[in-house]
Amino acid sequence: FQEALNRNSNLALEKPFKSGNKIIKTIHQAIRSEARTYYNKASTYYNKGKKKRAEKTFKMSMSLNPELIDNYIALSDMAYENEDMDTAIDYLDQAAEIDENNFDLVVRKAKYQREMKQYDFAISTLKNIKINNEQIKIMLNKEIFMIYLEQEKYSEAINIGSVIVEDMFNSTDIEDKVLAETCYNVAICYRYMGYESYNKMVDTINEGIGDKKILSEILEEADIALKYFKTTKERFYDASSFDPDDNKSITYAKDLNQLIKSIKKTFIPEIK
């Protein structure tokens, strides 16, 4: 097969045949078609736990048809299993040279970069993909949101997360579980930001500070806390509405109701 591929002449077959929906007319086409057979054989070896033989056969398939993306993904997955992240990403990069807009390749690469804590690279990988499908765009942005959340960059997470939630509300293709999970995570971000302002307010009151300028600034922090907590409560209720089994979000929302009341009826009057 290799010798035949290396020869310049791509002779016509005496008897063309059909492989899937494609008509195979030449020797080179027939050999490229055999790559799928070797890929399937390699997958069988892998499923039987024969990892070394599987790897060798995946590479054999790749040599017959370098454009068969499945081989790169399989070899990348195997490298990932062996915790060889650099090799895993290298196979994905090779595949991306063949199909630069392959969604699966981008998400896998970003996942590996994220696990290596190369967060900026992961975000760049996700942002640079060119895709016209709105649902896929939403899911890519969700991955970026989750990276910001993992980094505890709550402000950046809120900026993109609030947009994602609205886009999901307007989409008919997003599963309820995914929407519920996203609403919950966005609520967590808003709650964190709310508590930042809330804690500043409580600390100032506990310290008995009487400076009017400082108290004026703390009054603003109280308003900011209220704003964040109100949105947090809404998102927790949204999460529970899209996932009836999510009792945790309802509990959190009810707790925030009490907190919001205490800010309005106790803390703000005390500051004033």
Side-chain angles (χ1 to χ4, degrees):
F1 285 155
Q2 289 291 354
E3 180 62 24
L5 286 172
N6 289 332
R7 296 185 182 188
N8 292 327
S9 57
N10 184 12
L11 300 177
L13 293 169
E14 290 182 8
K15 293 182 179 180
F17 64 92
K18 193 173 184 180
S19 176
N21 295 322
K22 188 176 181 181
I23 302 296
I24 306 300
K25 298 180 180 180
T26 69
I27 290 175
H28 282 196
Q29 286 178 338
I31 294 171
R32 300 290 186 215
S33 178
E34 278 296 302
R36 174 59 67 178
T37 302
Y38 280 101
Y39 169 81
N40 292 336
K41 188 181 291 186
S43 298
T44 300
Y45 287 143
Y46 177 82
N47 292 332
K48 289 182 177 179
K50 299 177 180 179
K51 303 290 180 69
K52 288 185 178 180
R53 186 174 291 184
E55 181 180 3
K56 183 178 179 180
T57 311
F58 280 131
K59 289 179 177 178
M60 188 182 298
S61 173
M62 185 186 290
S63 70
L64 297 181
N65 185 3
E67 294 185 359
L68 185 57
I69 298 293
D70 292 347
N71 285 312
Y72 297 93
I73 293 175
L75 289 166
S76 177
D77 286 348
M78 292 183 73
Y80 173 72
E81 286 178 7
N82 293 328
E83 298 182 356
D84 186 354
M85 304 297 276
D86 290 333
T87 301
I89 289 176
D90 184 56
Y91 276 122
L92 295 178
D93 286 340
Q94 291 179 49
E97 291 178 9
I98 300 165
D99 185 1
E100 63 179 6
N101 291 320
N102 186 300
F103 176 71
D104 190 30
L105 296 176
V106 173
V107 172
R108 284 169 183 267
K109 182 177 179 180
K111 174 190 173 183
Y112 297 162
Q113 289 171 326
R114 180 177 167 186
E115 290 193 20
M116 295 169 71
K117 303 203 181 298
Q118 296 177 350
Y119 296 117
D120 291 340
F121 287 117
I123 290 171
S124 177
T125 297
L126 292 167
K127 282 184 175 180
N128 287 336
I129 187 170
K130 298 173 184 177
I131 198 90
N132 293 322
N133 186 300
E134 287 303 318
Q135 184 183 0
I136 293 178
K137 280 183 180 179
I138 292 172
M139 298 310 291
L140 287 171
N141 286 332
K142 178 179 176 289
E143 291 297 318
I144 295 172
F145 164 74
M146 292 303 296
I147 292 171
Y148 283 134
L149 181 60
E150 188 172 322
Q151 290 180 281
E152 297 183 356
K153 292 185 175 180
Y154 297 109
S155 181
E156 290 91 336
I158 283 173
N159 289 338
I160 189 170
S162 57
V163 175
I164 293 169
V165 168
E166 292 301 326
D167 288 342
M168 286 184 171
F169 285 153
N170 295 325
S171 173
T172 57
D173 298 320
I174 303 297
E175 294 180 4
D176 285 353
K177 285 281 187 181
V178 174
L179 182 47
E181 176 198 346
T182 306
C183 287
Y184 176 85
N185 286 324
V186 169
I188 293 297
C189 294
Y190 273 104
R191 187 175 66 174
Y192 179 88
M193 297 298 291
Y195 266 112
E196 275 200 340
S197 294
Y198 174 82
N199 290 334
K200 288 178 185 177
M201 175 189 68
V202 172
D203 289 344
T204 301
I205 291 173
N206 289 339
E207 289 170 11
I209 294 173
D211 185 285
K212 287 186 177 181
K213 183 180 178 182
I214 294 176
L215 291 175
S216 178
E217 291 172 354
I218 290 303
L219 199 58
E220 291 179 8
E221 293 290 348
D223 288 335
I224 292 170
L226 280 175
K227 179 182 175 183
Y228 279 127
F229 285 149
K230 285 177 182 176
T231 306
T232 304
K233 183 180 70 173
E234 290 171 6
R235 290 294 170 251
F236 276 136
Y237 278 130
D238 288 334
S240 64
S241 68
F242 286 101
D243 182 3
D245 297 326
D246 181 12
N247 297 319
K248 183 167 57 175
S249 290
I250 296 176
T251 301
Y252 289 156
K254 289 179 179 178
D255 290 343
L256 281 167
N257 270 330
Q258 297 301 317
L259 191 58
I260 289 168
K261 285 179 183 178
S262 67
I263 293 173
K264 287 181 176 179
K265 294 183 178 181
T266 304
F267 292 113
I268 289 179
E270 188 172 344
I271 294 169
K272 287 182 176 180

